[in-house]
Amino acid sequence: MRTIAIDAMGGENAPKAIVQAVLQAKAELTQTKFILFGDLNKIKNLVGNDTDRVEIVATTQVINDEDEPVKAIRAKKDSSLVVAAQYVKQGKADALLSLSNTGAILACGIFIIGRISGVARPGLMPTLPVKNSDNGFNMIDVGANAKSKPEYILDWAKMASYYAEKVRGIKNPKVALLNNGAESDKGDELHQKAYKLLLDSQLNFIGNIEGNELLDGKADIVATDGFTGNAVLKNIEGTASVLIHLLKNSLLNNGFFVKLGAGLIKGALKKLVSKFDVDKYGGAVLLGVNAPIVKTHGRSGKRAIYYTIKQVDKILSEKIIADFKAEFTHHK
Amino acid sequence: MRTIAIDAMGGENAPKAIVQAVLQAKAELTQTKFILFGDLNKIKNLVGNDTDRVEIVATTQVINDEDEPVKAIRAKKDSSLVVAAQYVKQGKADALLSLSNTGAILACGIFIIGRISGVARPGLMPTLPVKNSDNGFNMIDVGANAKSKPEYILDWAKMASYYAEKVRGIKNPKVALLNNGAESDKGDELHQKAYKLLLDSQLNFIGNIEGNELLDGKADIVATDGFTGNAVLKNIEGTASVLIHLLKNSLLNNGFFVKLGAGLIKGALKKLVSKFDVDKYGGAVLLGVNAPIVKTHGRSGKRAIYYTIKQVDKILSEKIIADFKAEFTHHK
């Protein structure tokens, strides 16, 4: 039996959407147990009689987006997130899922659950959309680290490649390095050295990728330093959201015929918007810590959370953490 | 009389669109002389009888996008770009405009025309679109430097701020630092130090800006290290182009009514696409060298080139290079 610790108080739709998603996933994932952390009465009401394989742990505090991450996990020791992380640390749960403050989730991963020995730094990895397929690509690190070293980037690429193969079912995944040009000598010292490490590795390294090519689907995994990865990830979200906003505005403010046209293309537009809806691709995984820690967007509704629970369960069923431990502890 | 050296052989529409744009701009800019560098016969034919204030300098080589920049400017000494840069260096022209290989233009700026004494590193600065106005914002550096230092970022922000005020007419322009969070202690050492330098400067520094906020119009100038700036600039172009591609596809492949709708919204869509057409905002300026060097997109047509010529002329008329020289040589 696998056990997933679920922070039921994070995000805009907590705890309702979270509990509903758990109940839906539970019906399907018959080998999995769920522990919900948060407001006992509220959660109890939402769970109702469906209590099989569901445990509730009452907590009294909540970490907000405004909280300073490291301070918050120290000050709010009875928060749903911190208690859930403690359960994972103590072996009472196998994985952690939260919709809360990204920084606080990272801090729980690094300071409470702890990194895998041999992995220099954990990396945060979302799945992002690509142009011509529904598969998407993984980018790592997108901001768990402000400062990166070439060896970190190699570790992230290794873990991401293994993840893509096992969890996403991509054979021999193509790994690229985000850089400022195609040639092997491009970039600063960090990226030149990372290039060499990736080239000398056993990975299916296809070379550098530039910022304009990310969504083209050339690579299954884009390895990047955490600072650039963070800027680029946020920029994809920002650019897509501004474009969609401008498109909607221009469809509403250009007279009757444009409005009529807009009505006719509504369905096609919705599909497009959903492609750039990060929720669809599941949560971002913190790779390199002693248990799967998955963060999904605070805006996520029941459906997105349900898919993320299935993603966490798949990570557990593939036992990739045990493999990471063997790989990294062994080699270093 | 001001003189602009124009590389007539760069870009997809050379030399025709370039010569046509020069002739159009010339009619308006009566205090400006133009020197066109490239294929003598072709350019002569295009200029026709309109030879007043237009000089042609015959060159025999062309630098392509595939050329390795530094090698190319050494090997192709009789290329339109290199000879144009030599004219600027020798004081026979006051500014350089090219649609050619960005790296080669930067190399001409740094190795032929030379940096302003007191400016540690020149920075490349495009103007990019924002959500709710037609003004756009400037981002610097977007890739003239793979490796940056805090002092470089301060110099870029100073030059960009001066440029925004003089050339773009923005009073007391708001300067932000691209970083991985809003708080003053965010980022790696480079960005923490750059933050302090900007805060202690005379600039109207409004703090950090994150990748998702760039197009919101919060800042008139976004200062960034060249590596991240390059990734983000390319990513804005890439994300916008993928979204527009997907939108067009989904409008064409969803049956009769969607196609009908698409026909009705065509005009509104065109406006949107044009907002993300970088050409509209003029060329990217290399700031910190001894003369204005402006690069505009290789795809630019007559209209975009015409606007860029006017931009170069405005830079010359405001004499900002002389001011930079006084400012930076004086203070260091």
Side-chain angles (χ1 to χ4, degrees):
Chain A
M1 182 75 64
R2 305 186 272 273
T3 304
I4 304 177
I6 294 185
D7 168 10
M9 304 309 284
E12 291 170 20
N13 306 305
K16 194 174 173 189
I18 299 171
V19 176
Q20 288 178 337
V22 165
L23 297 180
Q24 188 188 348
K26 191 181 69 142
E28 233 173 281
L29 309 172
T30 55
Q31 298 306 305
T32 308
K33 196 189 136 184
F34 300 87
I35 310 180
L36 291 159
F37 298 80
D39 185 309
L40 183 66
N41 286 330
K42 278 189 190 166
I43 299 174
K44 228 176 183 169
N45 278 336
L46 290 162
V47 172
N49 297 324
D50 198 358
T51 55
D52 179 42
R53 288 183 288 121
V54 175
E55 186 184 329
I56 307 170
V57 173
T59 57
T60 57
Q61 293 173 305
V62 174
I63 291 179
N64 303 309
D65 278 350
E66 294 70 36
D67 283 326
E68 201 284 309
V70 178
K71 271 185 210 155
I73 70 161
R74 283 182 188 147
K76 294 185 171 177
K77 290 215 187 308
D78 198 41
S79 61
S80 51
L81 175 61
V82 169
V83 179
Q86 291 291 359
Y87 264 61
V88 176
K89 183 198 168 72
Q90 294 156 12
K92 293 190 265 181
D94 305 309
L96 170 62
L97 169 61
S98 176
L99 285 71
S100 175
N101 181 321
T102 307
I105 297 172
L106 295 177
C108 282
I110 294 162
F111 298 117
I112 297 175
I113 294 168
R115 65 178 172 79
I116 292 171
S117 127
V119 175
R121 291 284 186 287
L124 186 64
M125 182 185 80
T127 305
L128 297 165
V130 301
K131 199 165 159 179
N132 292 322
S133 95
D134 281 329
N135 274 331
F137 71 99
N138 287 118
M139 185 154 74
I140 185 167
D141 170 48
V142 299
N145 303 271
K147 192 166 168 53
S148 303
K149 291 185 179 174
E151 300 75 30
Y152 304 174
I153 296 179
L154 177 64
D155 282 357
W156 298 332
K158 280 185 185 173
M159 292 189 287
S161 189
Y162 197 80
Y163 178 95
E165 194 138 2
K166 289 280 178 172
V167 180
R168 303 181 59 219
I170 299 167
K171 258 201 160 170
N172 203 21
K174 295 188 289 272
V175 178
L177 176 68
L178 180 58
N179 208 334
N180 64 353
E183 302 81 4
S184 63
D185 61 347
K186 280 288 175 176
D188 53 6
E189 214 190 331
L190 168 64
H191 295 88
Q192 288 166 353
K193 284 190 177 169
Y195 186 98
K196 280 190 195 129
L197 290 178
L198 289 166
L199 196 65
D200 291 343
S201 73
Q202 303 298 314
L203 297 168
N204 181 13
F205 181 54
I206 61 166
N208 289 328
I209 191 167
E210 297 184 68
N212 53 325
E213 304 168 318
L214 291 173
L215 309 186
D216 289 348
K218 287 185 175 182
D220 299 305
I221 291 148
V222 172
T224 169
D225 70 277
F227 190 88
T228 311
N230 185 266
V232 164
L233 170 70
K234 288 176 179 164
N235 187 60
I236 292 174
E237 291 178 0
T239 305
S241 114
V242 165
L243 257 160
I244 288 164
H245 164 91
L246 290 174
L247 178 62
K248 283 183 182 164
N249 259 14
S250 85
L251 294 183
L252 289 174
N253 302 315
N254 276 292
F256 175 73
F257 286 104
V258 171
K259 244 186 216 163
L260 183 66
L264 294 170
I265 66 162
K266 219 172 166 181
L269 264 191
K270 248 194 168 163
K271 259 198 240 166
L272 177 70
V273 172
S274 107
K275 189 163 187 98
F276 278 83
D277 181 359
V278 230
D279 294 351
K280 206 185 111 183
Y281 298 87
V285 189
L286 183 65
L287 291 179
V289 286
N290 282 312
I293 300 181
V294 178
K295 137 94 195 181
T296 187
H297 207 290
R299 279 194 316 263
S300 302
K302 179 187 161 191
R303 192 159 166 273
I305 302 166
Y306 159 79
Y307 280 114
T308 310
I309 293 171
K310 290 185 56 167
Q311 177 192 8
V312 176
D313 192 67
K314 174 83 174 157
I315 300 173
L316 286 177
S317 76
E318 292 293 340
K319 299 182 171 51
I320 68 169
I321 303 293
D323 291 344
F324 286 163
K325 284 181 183 171
E327 165 75 12
F328 284 93
T329 312
H330 186 72
H331 284 279
K332 296 203 177 175
Chain B
M1 183 76 61
R2 306 186 271 272
T3 304
I4 304 176
I6 295 185
D7 168 9
M9 304 308 283
E12 291 171 20
N13 306 306
K16 193 174 171 188
I18 299 171
V19 175
Q20 288 178 337
V22 165
L23 297 180
Q24 187 188 348
K26 191 181 69 143
E28 233 173 281
L29 308 171
T30 55
Q31 297 306 305
T32 308
K33 197 188 135 184
F34 300 87
I35 310 179
L36 292 159
F37 298 80
D39 184 309
L40 183 65
N41 286 330
K42 279 189 190 164
I43 298 173
K44 227 178 183 167
N45 277 336
L46 289 161
V47 171
N49 297 323
D50 199 0
T51 56
D52 179 42
R53 287 182 288 121
V54 175
E55 187 184 330
I56 307 171
V57 173
T59 57
T60 56
Q61 293 173 306
V62 173
I63 291 179
N64 302 311
D65 278 350
E66 295 71 35
D67 284 326
E68 201 284 308
V70 178
K71 272 185 210 156
I73 71 161
R74 284 183 188 146
K76 294 186 171 175
K77 291 216 187 305
D78 198 40
S79 61
S80 51
L81 175 61
V82 170
V83 179
Q86 292 290 0
Y87 263 62
V88 176
K89 184 197 167 71
Q90 293 156 13
K92 292 190 266 182
D94 305 309
L96 169 62
L97 169 60
S98 177
L99 284 71
S100 176
N101 181 320
T102 307
I105 297 173
L106 295 177
C108 282
I110 293 162
F111 298 117
I112 297 176
I113 294 168
R115 66 177 171 80
I116 293 171
S117 126
V119 175
R121 292 284 187 287
L124 186 63
M125 182 186 80
T127 305
L128 297 164
V130 300
K131 199 164 160 180
N132 292 321
S133 95
D134 280 329
N135 275 330
F137 72 100
N138 288 118
M139 185 154 74
I140 184 165
D141 170 47
V142 298
N145 304 270
K147 193 167 166 52
S148 304
K149 292 186 181 172
E151 300 74 29
Y152 304 174
I153 296 180
L154 177 64
D155 282 358
W156 299 332
K158 278 186 187 173
M159 291 188 288
S161 188
Y162 197 80
Y163 178 96
E165 193 139 2
K166 288 282 180 173
V167 180
R168 302 181 60 219
I170 298 167
K171 258 202 158 167
N172 203 22
K174 294 187 290 266
V175 178
L177 176 68
L178 180 58
N179 208 334
N180 64 353
E183 303 79 5
S184 62
D185 61 347
K186 280 287 174 177
D188 52 6
E189 214 190 329
L190 168 64
H191 294 88
Q192 288 167 352
K193 283 189 178 168
Y195 186 98
K196 278 188 197 132
L197 290 178
L198 288 166
L199 195 66
D200 291 343
S201 74
Q202 302 298 315
L203 298 168
N204 181 13
F205 181 54
I206 60 166
N208 289 328
I209 191 166
E210 297 183 67
N212 54 325
E213 304 167 319
L214 291 173
L215 309 186
D216 289 349
K218 286 186 178 184
D220 300 305
I221 291 147
V222 172
T224 169
D225 71 278
F227 190 88
T228 312
N230 185 266
V232 164
L233 171 70
K234 288 175 180 165
N235 187 60
I236 292 173
E237 293 178 0
T239 304
S241 114
V242 165
L243 256 162
I244 288 164
H245 163 92
L246 290 174
L247 178 62
K248 282 183 182 163
N249 259 16
S250 85
L251 294 183
L252 290 174
N253 302 316
N254 276 292
F256 175 73
F257 285 105
V258 171
K259 245 187 218 164
L260 183 67
L264 293 171
I265 64 160
K266 220 172 166 182
L269 264 192
K270 249 193 167 164
K271 259 198 240 167
L272 177 70
V273 172
S274 106
K275 192 168 186 91
F276 277 82
D277 181 357
V278 231
D279 295 352
K280 207 186 110 182
Y281 298 88
V285 188
L286 183 65
L287 291 180
V289 286
N290 282 313
I293 300 182
V294 178
K295 138 93 194 181
T296 187
H297 207 289
R299 280 195 315 264
S300 303
K302 179 187 161 191
R303 193 158 166 273
I305 303 166
Y306 159 79
Y307 279 114
T308 311
I309 294 171
K310 289 186 53 166
Q311 178 191 8
V312 176
D313 193 67
K314 174 82 173 160
I315 299 173
L316 286 177
S317 77
E318 292 293 340
K319 302 184 169 52
I320 68 169
I321 303 293
D323 291 342
F324 286 163
K325 284 181 183 170
E327 166 75 14
F328 284 92
T329 313
H330 185 73
H331 284 279
K332 294 200 177 174

